[in-house]
């Protein structure tokens, strides 16, 4: 929907016919008091806003006792005219682009469908009012959101159902039905409670499953922490087992061959020997070395037994000594045993660190405490679930008992009490509509606030104390520093003006309602930075922008390198006139 022109005749300060043809950007410049706001008010009157006294709208110098305003959109044209003879008469007509014409009440209805009254202030926006956030009251925002979120049908359904139910009671209520109506209302209240409890139960059961899953994860994490030490012990035991096998082989298989493996001269001498024993030239030296060897191998056998076994090798009559391993294999075995012992030592250090680490102990303590708290909360939560189930069951029994009483009364006098069933259905419709309204509002608000966050990003970046702006479920503008809510009175007039229009823009963006906007005093007392922010992030996003400017505001527009059409408001003794500036 695009606004193409406005014609004002003898309205407020304007004398005669004044025509404005709009470009993509149009600037209307006027000194304060010359009639900028009168343009806005003329349009609002034409669109049906009734908060302006029509007795004072005729220009004092008008030659004819009539005034009118004509607004032309791409799709239709609206003309509203007033005559002032003995009394004020008002005429309204709408001409559609296909030539069809609507008048009076039919035309009013058409305007309300195209531009609801509560949107007029947003499309034809007074920047001065916006400074105080007065434009965005809770009541007005509710009307706006019901419209842009397509919730008005639910609101009207609930309202109409309650109204019809009320009339039904007024028509049929007497002394004999009062008691039954009290019971019926009690039953409906209980059914509403049960419905809410079942929804709560559904949500709580989902939460309970999540809590239980989190507790299982916590226990697994604790077990895995203990498992870390367990795995280290298992790895150490595995290394020890390998070492024990190699040690056993070392002691039992090659213990007696070691002097020969380590002394080639001795081995060769024994292989050259006759049937007599190898001669020991230095008995004391041999004894000392043998004792040292016995000590190092740490054998469980007595020294004499070891010597006896060793001598049995030397007394072997064979000319060749068969060793079970080679010298190289023996040395490799020794190196492997040495490495295994080192690995065991290193594993012992890791286990010690894992068991005694202050950080590990703190982590384990924290995990266990968290797990215990979760278990405690889960037990309480589980108890509340059971209590909720019991409450649903008890309320269901109460509802059935009341329904039984009502059914008996209905059977006894069906004609008289038949209206109670209708009353019941209307109440259910009203409550169901209200419930659906709340759910849809929550979802739509989440989407709206996401878009609002995008539109306010550049604005918020300028202020460290403002972190977030959103609309809550009670249609309040919430401003936060990230932790606490801020009073909107802490905002400056400039901040309020920018914020006001950013919210307006988000509303119009969300509905994709209009491609035009007219703003009176668009910049007020803003800094140049905020003027540029408002112009480029808000105003210029519309296909059709009309700005009602003071001289100083126009000076700013001239610095922005924009292409626009310009009008100047002039004043003479008859009133205001609008002239286009080439």
């Amino acid at each position: 929907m695009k606004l193409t022109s406005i014609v004002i005749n003898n309205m407020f300060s304007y004398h005669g016919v004044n025509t404005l043809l709009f470009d993509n950007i149009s600037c209307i410049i006027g000194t304060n008091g010359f009639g900028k706001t009168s343009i806005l008010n003329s349009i609002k009157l034409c669109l049906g806003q009734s908060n302006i006294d029509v007795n004072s709208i005729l220009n004092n110098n008008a030659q004819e006792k009539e005034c009118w305003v004509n607004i032309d959109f791409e799709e239709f044209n609206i003309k509203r005219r007033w005559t002032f003879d003995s009394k004020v008469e008002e005429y309204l007509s709408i001409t559609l682009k296909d030539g069809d014409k609507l008048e009076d009440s039919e035309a009013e209805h058409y305007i309300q469908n195209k531009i609801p009254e509560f949107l007029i202030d947003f499309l034809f926006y007074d920047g001065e009012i916006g400074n105080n956030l007065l434009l965005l009251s809770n009541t007005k925002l509710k009307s706006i959101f019901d419209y842009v979120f397509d919730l008005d049908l639910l609101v009207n359904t609930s309202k109409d159902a309650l109204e019809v139910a009320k009339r039904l009671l007024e028509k049929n209520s007497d002394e004999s039905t009062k008691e039954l109506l009290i019971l019926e209302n009690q039953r409906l209240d209980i059914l509403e409670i049960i419905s809410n409890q079942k929804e709560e139960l559904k949500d709580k059961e989902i939460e309970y499953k999540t809590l239980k899953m989190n507790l299982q994860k916590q226990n697994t994490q604790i077990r895995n922490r203990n498992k870390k030490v367990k795995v280290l012990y298992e790895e150490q035991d595995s290394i020890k087992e390998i070492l024990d096998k190699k040690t056993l082989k070392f002691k039992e298989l090659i213990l007696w061959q070691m002097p020969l493996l380590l002394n080639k001269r001795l081995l060769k001498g024994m292989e050259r020997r006759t049937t007599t024993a190898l001669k020991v030239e230095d008995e004391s030296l041999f004894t000392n070395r043998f004792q040292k060897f016995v000590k190092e191998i740490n054998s469980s056998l007595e020294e004499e037994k070891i010597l006896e076994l060793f001598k049995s090798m030397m007394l072997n009559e064979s000319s060749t000594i068969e060793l079970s391993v080679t010298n190289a294999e023996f040395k490799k075995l020794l190196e492997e045993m040495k490495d295994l012992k080192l690995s065991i030592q290193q594993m012992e250090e890791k286990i010690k660190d894992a068991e005694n680490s202050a950080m590990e102990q703190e982590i384990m303590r924290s995990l266990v405490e968290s797990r215990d708290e979760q278990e405690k909360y889960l037990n309480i939560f589980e108890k509340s679930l059971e209590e909720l189930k019991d409450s649903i069951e008890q309320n269901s029994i109460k509802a059935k008992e009341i329904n039984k009483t009502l059914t008996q009364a209905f059977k006894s006098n069906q004609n008289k009490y038949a209206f109670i069933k209708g009353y019941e259905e209307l109440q259910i419709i009203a409550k169901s509509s209200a419930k659906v309204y709340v759910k849809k509002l929550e979802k739509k608000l989440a989407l709206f606030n996401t878009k609002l966050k995008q539109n306010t990003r550049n604005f918020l970046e300028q202020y460290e104390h403002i972190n977030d702006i959103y609309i809550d479920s009670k249609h309040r503008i919430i401003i936060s520093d990230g932790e606490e809510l801020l009073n909107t009175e802490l905002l400056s007039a400039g901040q309020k003006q920018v914020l006001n229009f950013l919210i307006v823009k988000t509303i119009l963006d969300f509905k994709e309602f209009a491609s035009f906007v007219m703003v009176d005093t668009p910049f007020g007392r803003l800094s140049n930075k905020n003027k540029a922010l408002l112009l480029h992030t808000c105003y210029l996003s519309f296909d059709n922008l009309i700005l009602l400017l003071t001289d100083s505001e126009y000076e700013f527009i001239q610095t922005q390198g924009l292409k626009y059409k310009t009008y100047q408001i002039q004043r003479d003794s008859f009133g205001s006139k609008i002239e286009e500036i080439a």
Side-chain angles (χ1 to χ4, degrees), residues 253-484:
L253 298 177
I254 63 170
L255 178 62
W256 328 117
Q257 305 173 48
M258 189 167 70
L260 302 178
L261 289 166
L262 298 178
N263 191 331
K264 290 182 179 180
R265 187 173 61 84
L266 177 62
L267 176 60
K268 289 178 180 178
M270 288 183 67
E271 287 177 340
R272 292 194 302 267
R273 77 186 186 286
T274 60
T275 55
T276 59
L278 186 66
K279 181 180 179 183
V280 178
E281 295 179 355
D282 189 337
E283 186 74 27
S284 61
L285 180 61
F286 173 80
T287 301
N288 289 337
R289 288 183 176 178
F290 182 77
Q291 288 176 343
K292 185 177 180 183
F293 163 71
V294 171
K295 186 178 179 181
E296 286 182 357
I297 65 172
N298 192 24
S299 173
S300 58
L301 298 176
E302 293 179 0
E303 186 176 318
E304 290 182 2
K305 183 66 174 174
I306 295 172
L307 182 58
E308 183 181 341
L309 289 170
F310 181 63
K311 284 182 178 180
S312 69
M313 291 176 63
M314 294 191 296
L315 296 173
N316 194 314
E317 295 182 0
S318 171
S319 60
T320 303
I321 298 176
E322 295 291 338
L323 300 176
S324 58
V325 293
T326 65
N327 181 274
E329 290 172 335
F330 178 71
K331 288 183 178 180
K332 182 181 178 182
L333 177 62
L334 290 177
E335 288 296 326
E336 287 175 348
M337 291 174 66
K338 180 181 177 182
D339 291 340
L340 288 169
K341 286 182 179 180
L342 179 61
S343 296
I344 291 172
Q345 290 177 354
Q346 291 173 342
M347 198 60 63
E348 286 173 349
E349 290 297 323
K350 287 182 180 180
I351 292 170
K352 185 178 178 182
D353 289 342
E355 289 179 332
N356 300 330
S357 168
M359 182 178 292
E360 180 67 22
Q361 288 176 359
E362 180 61 27
I363 291 171
M364 280 296 294
R365 184 190 65 78
S366 177
L367 287 172
V368 171
E369 283 183 359
S370 177
R371 188 271 313 276
D372 292 344
E373 285 295 322
Q374 286 188 41
E375 284 182 342
K376 184 179 177 182
Y377 182 71
L378 190 64
N379 291 333
I380 295 171
F381 197 88
E382 192 172 5
K383 186 178 178 182
S384 71
L385 273 180
E386 294 303 319
E387 290 174 351
L388 186 57
K389 289 177 183 177
D390 290 341
S391 179
I392 291 172
E393 187 176 348
Q394 292 301 319
N395 284 328
S396 298
I397 293 170
K398 286 180 186 177
K400 287 178 182 178
E401 289 173 350
I402 294 174
N403 191 54
K404 185 178 179 181
T405 303
L406 290 169
T407 302
Q408 289 172 350
F410 182 75
K411 286 180 179 179
S412 66
N413 194 338
Q414 189 169 351
N415 290 332
K416 183 173 183 178
Y417 300 127
F419 80 94
I420 292 178
K421 290 294 181 183
Y423 174 79
E424 172 191 337
E425 291 298 326
L426 289 166
Q427 289 287 338
I428 290 172
I429 289 170
K431 290 179 179 179
S432 298
S433 298
K435 191 175 289 186
V436 173
Y437 172 89
V438 170
K439 288 184 177 180
K440 285 197 171 184
L441 176 64
E442 183 181 353
K443 289 181 180 178
K444 297 284 189 177
L445 268 179
L447 295 173
F448 177 85
N449 284 324
T450 299
K451 187 171 278 292
L452 180 61
K453 195 176 188 72
Q454 293 171 355
N455 285 342
T456 56
R457 183 180 294 115
N458 292 337
F459 172 71
L460 295 179
E461 285 175 354
Q462 300 180 78
Y463 307 104
E464 293 182 359
H465 66 290
I466 304 176
N467 180 267
D468 197 13
I469 298 172
Y470 60 93
I471 311 296
D472 71 3
S473 59
K474 294 181 180 179
H475 305 96
R476 298 174 300 187
I477 301 171
I478 304 299
I479 302 172
S480 167
D481 64 0
E483 297 180 359
E484 297 181 358

Side-chain angles (χ1 to χ4, degrees), residues 166-308:
K166 180 183 176 183
R167 291 178 184 176
L168 199 59
L169 288 183
E170 290 172 351
K171 183 179 179 181
N172 295 280
S173 181
D174 57 28
E175 290 299 325
S176 63
T177 60
K178 281 184 179 179
E179 186 176 344
L180 291 179
L181 285 171
I182 290 171
L183 286 174
E184 173 61 13
N185 283 321
Q186 286 178 355
R187 190 181 77 86
L188 290 172
D189 289 341
I190 291 171
L191 290 176
E192 177 71 12
I193 291 170
I194 291 172
S195 176
N196 292 334
Q197 285 179 326
K198 284 183 176 179
E199 286 190 13
E200 183 184 356
L201 179 62
K202 185 179 178 182
D203 293 338
K204 280 196 167 186
E205 283 177 337
I206 293 171
E207 187 179 353
Y208 178 74
K209 287 180 182 178
T210 303
L211 288 170
K212 202 166 184 179
M213 189 179 297
N214 289 338
L215 182 60
Q216 289 173 349
K217 288 179 180 178
Q218 193 82 329
N219 277 322
T220 301
Q221 194 174 0
I222 291 170
R223 283 196 299 272
N224 287 340
R225 282 276 170 185
N226 290 331
K227 190 176 178 182
K228 179 182 177 182
V229 177
K230 183 181 176 182
V231 167
L232 288 173
Y233 272 117
E234 288 175 351
E235 192 175 342
Q236 185 189 50
D237 291 342
S238 177
I239 296 171
K240 281 183 177 180
E241 186 178 349
I242 296 170
L243 179 61
D244 288 343
K245 287 180 181 179
K246 291 186 180 294
T247 302
L248 184 63
K249 180 180 180 181
F250 176 78
K251 288 182 177 181
E252 293 182 359
L253 298 177
I254 63 170
L255 178 62
W256 328 117
Q257 305 173 48
M258 189 167 70
L260 302 178
L261 289 166
L262 298 178
N263 191 331
K264 290 182 179 180
R265 187 173 61 84
L266 177 62
L267 176 60
K268 289 178 180 178
M270 288 183 67
E271 287 177 340
R272 292 194 302 267
R273 77 186 186 286
T274 60
T275 55
T276 59
L278 186 66
K279 181 180 179 183
V280 178
E281 295 179 355
D282 189 337
E283 186 74 27
S284 61
L285 180 61
F286 173 80
T287 301
N288 289 337
R289 288 183 176 178
F290 182 77
Q291 288 176 343
K292 185 177 180 183
F293 163 71
V294 171
K295 186 178 179 181
E296 286 182 357
I297 65 172
N298 192 24
S299 173
S300 58
L301 298 176
E302 293 179 0
E303 186 176 318
E304 290 182 2
K305 183 66 174 174
I306 295 172
L307 182 58
E308 183 181 341

Side-chain angles (χ1 to χ4, degrees), residues 497-498 501 522-523 526 530-539:
Q497 185 176 348
V498 175
F501 205 88
F523 304 116
L526 298 182
N530 273 334
K531 286 178 183 177
L533 173 69
L534 198 54
L535 177 67
H536 293 283
T537 64
C538 295
Y539 297 150

Side-chain angles (χ1 to χ4, degrees), residues 57-72:
I57 65 173
L58 181 65
N59 181 273
N60 294 331
N61 297 310
Q63 293 179 355
E64 299 175 350
K65 296 299 181 182
E66 72 167 17
C67 62
W68 49 267
V69 58
N70 187 320
I71 306 177
D72 192 63

